[in-house]
Amino acid sequence: MELRHLRYFCAVAEEKNLTRAAEKLFIAQPPLTRQIKQLEEDVGAQLFDRHSRGLTLTPAGKYFWEQAKQMLAKADMVIENTRRIAEEQKAVFSIGFVPSVFYGQLPSLVRDLRQQTNANILLHDLKTGEQIEALKTGKIDIGFGRLTIPDEQVEQTILFQEPLLVALHVGHPLLKKGEPTLEELAKMPMILYPAGQAATPTFADICTSLFTSRGMTTNVTQQVNDLQTALGLVASEMEFALVSEQVRHFGRDDVVFIPLQDKSITCPVIFSRRKEPMDSITALAVKILKNLVENHQSSL
């Protein structure tokens, strides 16, 4: 079985029609049909159910499709990184992150890795669920997120729990009352991020669950794509947003970050990597990260 067979299969699985798949691949239909039948023989399983109006994936075909997409993505990433190494004579080390962790240990980790290796460090802004898929395909080597997403190919470790803060406009009247409660916040318009219906939970789900798990409803008036936009709306006096403690280093003079009255309300910082023997750069990253986390804990 060759990579081209996987590409042929994925095209047919996406189009659910041999004619359209052949046009997409710029090959004739009869050779494509033969390739798909040969692939099924090599795999030893029927991957498609044939119908008069097209094809549907069998349960085995659905599983094979998911794995084939990962294998192709991994192959493409290997080729891209190989070319980059050949051009720059540097290894490539990619890190996925959610924006709210960028203001904590991540910059220090990147700086230390650059000083101690000859690697080209690439950063990818990815939701935690996207990081899991990116780890499996090789797009990233390690990731930093907020959610635990079980996957047999990925190992996740909670580095520490981080307090959540309330972001308010610098002139907000709530600032005169001291640290707010969730009950008080539930009555106010709320800004959430990130936007969209993700296949896996996001920081927005963490925030809303704080209220719903306590029997309260939220008054979400805006849901935006990123943290900076959310803080911009807060600065425009569009009420509040919940943020992680690291965001207080963002450096805005029109937004104030205050603690919640309930100090048990926290959000985890989670480190993710593939479940496989670590290469030298990953092992160094883990060592540096351990020291950074220990320093963070000792400073509390």
Side-chain angles (χ1 to χ4, degrees), residues 135-174:
L135 282 166
K136 288 157 52 173
T137 61
K139 180 179 179 179
I140 63 173
D141 297 287
I142 59 175
F144 295 89
R146 295 287 183 184
L147 295 151
T148 299
I149 300 177
D151 191 290
E152 61 183 13
Q153 298 180 49
V154 176
E155 176 182 291
Q156 290 188 292
T157 304
I158 296 177
L159 299 178
F160 53 84
Q161 294 286 343
E162 187 176 12
L164 287 180
L165 305 178
V166 184
L168 294 167
H169 178 259
V170 68
H172 198 286
L174 191 61

Side-chain angles (χ1 to χ4, degrees), residues 169-199:
H169 178 259
V170 68
H172 198 286
L174 191 61
L175 294 173
K176 300 176 181 178
K177 299 181 180 180
E179 298 175 348
T181 64
L182 286 180
E183 288 79 8
E184 290 174 316
L185 296 177
K187 301 173 184 178
M188 298 165 48
M190 182 179 185
I191 300 164
L192 278 181
Y193 65 93
Q197 298 296 320

Side-chain angles (χ1 to χ4, degrees), residues 71-231:
M71 287 188 283
L72 288 173
K74 176 71 172 179
D76 290 340
M77 188 58 56
V78 168
I79 293 170
E80 179 183 340
N81 287 344
T82 300
R83 288 172 177 166
R84 185 178 287 117
I85 291 170
E87 293 172 358
E88 303 177 7
Q89 298 301 310
K90 286 185 177 182
V92 177
F93 191 75
S94 297
I95 302 174
F97 69 97
V98 294
S100 61
V101 306
F102 191 75
Y103 307 98
Q105 287 69 40
L106 183 55
S108 298
L109 173 64
V110 173
R111 183 187 63 247
D112 289 351
L113 282 175
R114 283 179 170 157
Q115 291 175 348
Q116 299 181 45
T117 71
N118 191 37
N120 185 11
I121 311 297
L122 303 180
L123 296 176
H124 300 269
D125 182 347
L126 299 169
K127 299 180 180 68
T128 306
E130 295 171 337
Q131 290 180 32
I132 301 302
E133 294 306 311
L135 282 166
K136 288 157 52 173
T137 61
K139 180 179 179 179
I140 63 173
D141 297 287
I142 59 175
F144 295 89
R146 295 287 183 184
L147 295 151
T148 299
I149 300 177
D151 191 290
E152 61 183 13
Q153 298 180 49
V154 176
E155 176 182 291
Q156 290 188 292
T157 304
I158 296 177
L159 299 178
F160 53 84
Q161 294 286 343
E162 187 176 12
L164 287 180
L165 305 178
V166 184
L168 294 167
H169 178 259
V170 68
H172 198 286
L174 191 61
L175 294 173
K176 300 176 181 178
K177 299 181 180 180
E179 298 175 348
T181 64
L182 286 180
E183 288 79 8
E184 290 174 316
L185 296 177
K187 301 173 184 178
M188 298 165 48
M190 182 179 185
I191 300 164
L192 278 181
Y193 65 93
Q197 298 296 320
T200 54
T202 66
F203 186 73
D205 298 296
I206 293 177
C207 292
T208 55
S209 67
L210 292 174
F211 296 91
T212 57
S213 64
R214 293 167 172 78
M216 293 179 276
T217 58
T218 55
N219 180 19
V220 177
T221 56
Q222 293 276 346
Q223 187 162 1
V224 296
N225 290 325
D226 55 69
L227 169 62
Q228 295 188 40
T229 304
L231 293 179

